[in-house]
Amino acid sequence: MSEQMHRILLASRPEGAPSLENFRHDSCPMPDPGTDEVLVKAEYMSLDPYMRGRMSPSESYVPPIEVGAPMQGGAVGEVLRSNHADFAPGDKVYGMFGWASHGCLPGSELQKLAPALQPSSLALGALGMPGFTGWHGLHAYGRPKAGETLVVGAATGPVGSMVGQLAKAAGLRVVGVAGGAEKCALAVESFGFDACLDHRAYAQVDALKAALSEVCPKGIDIYFENLGGKLLEAVLPLMNPMGRIPLCGMIAWYDGSPVSGLSAPDLWRAMLVKQLSVTGFIIANHFDQYPAFLEEVGPMLASGKIRFLEDVAEGLENAPAAFLSMLKGGNTGKQLVKLT
Ligand SMILES: NC(=O)c1ccc[n+]([C@@H]2O[C@H](COP(=O)([O-])OP(=O)(O)OC[C@H]3O[C@@H](n4cnc5c(N)ncnc54)[C@H](OP(=O)(O)O)[C@@H]3O)[C@@H](O)[C@H]2O)c1
């Protein structure tokens, strides 16, 4: 039998929360790179919350994945064969190979990994898209100033932990919100947050709001929005006038069911009365600033000033379970899959 490439396909669209039945393993003959194409053996692939959106049929900033097509996503790997002048066997590269053991892409769609990106998994996490998202969202739309207070949810994930640590380095009071006592301890002890609240311990918005107001005695100047849901509802009344909300994600609502009582008039009223700046952003449109990010954060990571955690599942076949677990907070740190 010819050499095979393995992939995970979208078997069906989820209704509500996705399940293992929505995925299917598939193998096909190894692709032969054509003109200007490069064949890559994947080493690590990234699992990200945005992939949940692409499983649904609704149009977003990227088209939905077709049922029967491979799951999409970023990965790093080693070049096996190259028909492109810029790449040679052995080169370490990043590309959108999807959930697959190999990728075959035009050289123009690949990036060689910069020397700072060692181990290569960093290109998918701390020094890749999620870390860059935290850096860009905080600086461009949060506009942090020393002495201010910032709140961020999914605080121990790759975006939230980057945001919190950069804000601490800029002299802010930083309060995280995370799922479970262990993650909260991690946010304070490893990532240096001033406080972290366990959102699971506060079933009611009012209780979460009261706890937040205790750890944010001067109110909230920046709310880095990763979640939506209950946290958004608790944060809004505590926002200071002229506060900023970088709108990065709303994972609490990705399954389609609203989990908060926040109405559109409540939201607009808070934004108007407090004169809030809310800026949605899609990081794929800002990669011209990636070199500046790498230059600033690369040395901070190398020196230990910024810390970073990875949660690595082994084997392509375990990608669906790791993805479902990550959506429910089962990950501690950046969720990766090591292709074995
Ligand atoms: N705008 C952009 O271009 C862009 C780019 C990258 C990421 N994002 C967004 O940034 C956010 C963080 O991404 P990430 O990669 O760093 O994810 P992540 O933290 O690795 O994983 C998602 C985390 O969200 C939390 N979560 C899930 N459901 C929740 C719920 N109902 N209520 C509260 N928390 C919940 C869980 O953490 P806990 O266990 O701590 O609750 C889970 O671990 C996501 O919303 C993502 O879509 C946006």
Side-chain angles (χ1 to χ4, degrees), residues 250-263:
M250 41 186 185
I251 194 166
W253 287 325
Y254 286 174
D255 285 337
S257 50
V259 292
S260 85
L262 192 66
S263 70

Side-chain angles (χ1 to χ4, degrees), residues 14-235:
E15 285 172 25
S19 67
L20 288 177
E21 287 69 47
N22 298 130
F23 302 94
R24 180 158 51 85
H25 182 266
D26 164 76
S27 54
C28 62
M30 189 67 69
D32 205 10
T35 308
D36 283 337
E37 284 189 340
V38 179
L39 179 66
V40 179
K41 183 179 187 315
E43 291 175 341
Y44 289 96
M45 60 179 241
S46 178
L47 295 176
D48 297 279
Y50 77 85
M51 295 166 176
R52 168 64 187 91
R54 297 201 65 190
M55 295 172 76
S56 294
S58 41
E59 279 296 328
S60 180
Y61 57 94
V62 277
I65 297 167
E66 293 300 326
V67 172
M71 289 294 295
Q72 292 299 307
V76 289
E78 185 174 310
V79 172
L80 292 181
R81 288 163 58 196
S82 172
N83 290 332
H84 192 284
D86 293 348
F87 298 94
D91 285 349
K92 298 280 186 184
V93 294
Y94 168 87
M96 292 296 283
F97 308 138
W99 296 20
S101 60
H102 296 76
C104 189
L105 290 176
S108 57
E109 293 179 21
L110 297 177
Q111 289 146 37
K112 266 192 209 169
L113 297 191
L117 297 173
Q118 281 303 331
S120 60
S121 59
L122 283 180
L124 301 175
L127 296 181
M129 184 278 282
F132 178 47
T133 298
W135 176 87
H136 175 74
L138 176 67
H139 290 302
Y141 316 116
R143 303 188 294 279
K145 292 181 214 65
E148 291 188 330
T149 298
L150 172 141
V151 171
V152 61
T156 59
V159 175
S161 63
M162 181 62 72
V163 168
Q165 291 179 91
L166 289 174
K168 269 310 289 176
L172 280 78
R173 174 169 177 79
V174 173
V175 172
V177 175
E182 230 173 273
K183 283 192 180 181
C184 287
L186 193 66
V188 173
E189 288 157 21
S190 292
F191 294 130
F193 285 44
D194 295 289
C196 186
L197 299 179
D198 173 6
H199 62 82
R200 294 188 196 148
Y202 303 96
Q204 304 303 325
V205 171
D206 281 349
L208 182 58
K209 187 181 133 195
L212 269 173
S213 95
E214 259 182 50
V215 289
C216 303
K218 294 185 186 165
I220 300 167
D221 301 290
I222 304 171
Y223 171 50
F224 193 99
E225 173 66 302
N226 280 334
L227 303 183
K230 193 170 64 178
L231 183 59
L232 173 62
E233 206 173 345
V235 157

Side-chain angles (χ1 to χ4, degrees), residues 256-273:
S257 50
V259 292
S260 85
L262 192 66
S263 70
D266 293 338
L267 187 58
W268 284 115
R269 190 175 302 110
M271 285 171 58
L272 173 65
V273 172

